[in-house]
Amino acid sequence: MLKRQSPSAPERSRDLAADGGALPMSHSDSRSFFNLSQLVLSAGQIKPSPALKHSKITYFEVEIVDVQSKKQICIVDKVPPASTILDVKHKFHKTCPQWYPSRVGLQLERNGPFLKDSISIQSLAVSSIVTLYFTDLGQQVGWTTFFLTEYTGPLLIYLLFYVRLSTIYDQVESRKNFRHPVVHLACFCHCLHYIRHLLETLFVHKFSEGHTPLKNMIKGCAFYWGFTSWIAYYINHPRYTPPSFGHKQVSYAALAFLMCEAGNHFINVALAHQTNSEGNRTCFPSPTYNPFTWLFLLVSCPNYTYEAGSWISFTVMTQTLPVGIFAFLMVIQMSLWAQKKHKLYLKRFYPEVRRKAAMIPIIF
C-alpha cells in the first residue's frame, strides 16, 4: 500500500489562498503589527510639525567721528533699530565717560544741524553702518535752571536797593528825603513781573531738548542782573525825582503795565496748551473768549508784544533813562526772536500765519 505524502508548506499556503483562507502570521510579525496599531490609535490624527520661526534682528553700528580732525573716536555696536540719538549718546558716554550726554552734539553731516535726541537711528541709516560727527557742546544746564537763575537774580537785587542798604546809599540822606509813591509802585510792578516769570517757568512752560550751554546762562544773568542793578539804583535813590506829569502819568502807565502782564500770562498759557511733552507746537493757537488772546489775530508772537509793552509802560511810569535803555534793547531782542519764530510758524502753519505780523502789526 502506498502512503500519501503530506503537501509541503508552499503548497499548503497556495491551497489556502486558493480557498480564500487567511495566511497564518508568525509570532514576531503579529507582535509588530499589534504595536504599530496601538501606536496609531493612541496618537490619533497625525499633525504636521510646525515650522520653526527664525527671528532675525538687524543691529546697526554707529561710528562716532570728531568733526574737526575727522578721526574716529569710537564705534557704538549692536544698536537696535528702535534706538534714538539719546540712546546712542548714553552708550557713547559709557565708552568715553568724560563726555556727558547733555554736552554731546551729533551731526549727520559736518556742517549740518545737530540731531534731536528723539530721532531714531533707523530713520538715518542707509546701510548697517551709520557715521555721526561729534561736537563737544561744553558744560550744559537745564532750561528750568537757566530761567530760574536768570529771573531770581533781578527779583532779589531790586529788593536790596529798595531797602536802601547803608553800603549803597547815604543813610542820613535816605532818612531825610521822602519817598514818592511811584517808588513803592515801581517795586511792586518789578517784583510782580519776575514772580510771574518764575511761576510760569515752574508750572506753565514746556521746554524742548532740556539743555542749553552754561555760557548762555552766564551771559543772560550778566545782562538781566546788571541792568536791574542800574535800574534799581536810580529809582530807589534818595534824590529820585517823580515823573513830569505826576499822578496821571503814573496811573495810566501802571494800568498799561498790569494789562500787559495779564496778557503775557494768558498768551503763555494758551501756547502751553498747544505744546506736547517734547516742547513742540502741535497747532497754532486760536483766539478764545479771553480778550487778551485776541492779539493772535494780528501777530504770531503776542507774548513778545506784551513783554515789550510791559517794559515801555514801566519806562513811562518811572521816567528814568536806565529803564528806557533796557526797554529799547529788549524790544530789539524780542523782535529778532519773534521774526525767527515767525519763519518757523510759516513753514509749519502757513495758512494760519501768512497774514500775521511777527510781533508788532505792520511794522514787524
Side-chain angles (χ1 to χ4, degrees):
M1 174 182 268
L2 296 175
K3 293 183 180 181
R4 186 180 178 180
Q5 296 181 355
S6 60
S8 62
E11 291 178 352
R12 285 199 305 267
S13 301
R14 190 164 49 248
D15 294 339
L16 288 174
D19 295 339
L23 295 175
M25 298 179 63
S26 64
H27 180 70
S28 60
D29 292 340
S30 61
R31 186 174 181 180
S32 300
F33 178 77
F34 177 77
N35 292 338
L36 179 62
S37 301
Q38 290 296 110
L39 178 64
V40 172
L41 291 175
S42 62
Q45 185 179 359
I46 300 177
K47 297 180 180 179
S49 59
L52 296 177
K53 297 181 179 179
H54 299 280
S55 59
K56 184 178 180 181
I57 301 177
T58 303
Y59 291 96
F60 293 99
E61 290 186 356
V62 180
E63 180 187 20
I64 308 296
V65 179
D66 186 78
V67 71
Q68 299 294 337
S69 62
K70 300 181 183 180
K71 294 182 179 179
Q72 183 189 95
I73 300 177
C74 71
I75 293 181
V76 181
D77 56 353
K78 293 186 179 180
V79 178
S83 298
T84 61
I85 293 294
L86 183 60
D87 298 329
V88 174
K89 289 182 179 180
H90 282 289
K91 291 186 177 183
F92 177 60
H93 171 59
K94 292 181 179 179
T95 306
C96 304
Q98 68 271 24
W99 288 309
Y100 292 91
S102 60
R103 66 184 297 170
V104 174
L106 297 177
Q107 302 162 271
L108 192 60
E109 300 176 357
R110 290 189 64 196
N111 298 324
F114 291 109
L115 299 173
K116 293 184 178 180
D117 291 343
S118 58
I119 296 178
S120 64
I121 294 298
Q122 191 173 13
S123 63
L124 304 174
V126 179
S127 62
S128 60
I129 300 177
V130 181
T131 302
L132 298 178
Y133 294 93
F134 161 76
T135 301
D136 185 8
L137 300 178
Q139 187 64 37
Q140 303 286 302
V141 293
W143 280 109
T144 302
T145 304
F146 176 90
F147 287 113
L148 290 179
T149 306
E150 192 174 69
Y151 296 144
T152 303
L155 179 64
L156 299 177
I157 290 172
Y158 196 96
L159 292 175
L160 291 177
F161 284 91
Y162 176 73
V163 298
R164 290 182 176 178
L165 297 176
S166 58
T167 55
I168 301 175
Y169 302 112
D170 181 70
Q171 291 299 306
V172 177
E173 192 175 16
S174 299
R175 288 191 295 267
K176 186 186 301 183
N177 294 336
F178 171 75
R179 287 197 187 191
H180 193 274
V182 70
V183 176
H184 304 291
L185 182 61
C187 180
F188 170 78
C189 292
H190 192 275
C191 293
L192 176 66
H193 177 78
Y194 284 102
I195 289 174
R196 178 185 63 80
H197 273 304
L198 291 172
L199 293 178
E200 288 177 352
T201 300
L202 293 173
F203 304 109
V204 177
H205 293 303
K206 299 177 182 178
F207 304 108
S208 60
E209 296 302 323
H211 296 90
T212 185
L214 177 63
K215 60 181 180 181
N216 289 348
M217 189 181 76
I218 295 175
K219 290 190 294 185
C221 290
F223 177 79
Y224 278 97
W225 295 15
F227 263 102
T228 299
S229 302
W230 192 23
I231 291 170
Y233 176 81
Y234 274 88
I235 295 177
N236 296 286
H237 199 280
R239 297 182 183 180
Y240 169 75
T241 56
S244 303
F245 295 95
H247 180 70
K248 285 186 177 181
Q249 179 178 344
V250 173
S251 300
Y252 290 142
L255 181 61
F257 177 86
L258 294 177
M259 291 181 63
C260 289
E261 287 295 303
N264 202 339
H265 172 70
F266 288 120
I267 291 297
N268 288 331
V269 171
L271 292 173
H273 287 166
Q274 304 297 331
T275 305
N276 56 22
S277 59
E278 296 179 356
N280 298 321
R281 194 89 61 229
T282 56
C283 63
F284 191 79
S286 301
T288 63
Y289 61 89
N290 189 340
F292 290 103
T293 63
W294 294 351
L295 200 56
F296 275 120
L297 296 172
L298 301 176
V299 296
S300 60
C301 302
N303 53 326
Y304 294 142
T305 307
Y306 282 122
E307 184 78 9
S310 294
W311 285 112
I312 293 174
S313 302
F314 194 77
T315 303
V316 176
M317 182 177 65
T318 58
Q319 194 174 311
T320 53
L321 180 63
V323 182
I325 296 175
F326 180 74
F328 175 74
L329 295 177
M330 288 294 292
V331 169
I332 293 177
Q333 180 62 71
M334 285 184 292
S335 66
L336 296 176
W337 290 340
Q339 291 178 27
K340 184 178 179 179
K341 281 192 174 182
H342 186 71
K343 292 179 180 179
L344 295 176
Y345 289 158
L346 284 174
K347 293 180 180 179
R348 297 188 60 188
F349 316 111
Y350 176 74
E352 297 90 344
V353 186
R354 63 188 180 93
R355 295 184 180 273
K356 304 179 190 297
M359 189 179 85
I360 300 177
I362 302 174
I363 298 178
F364 295 103

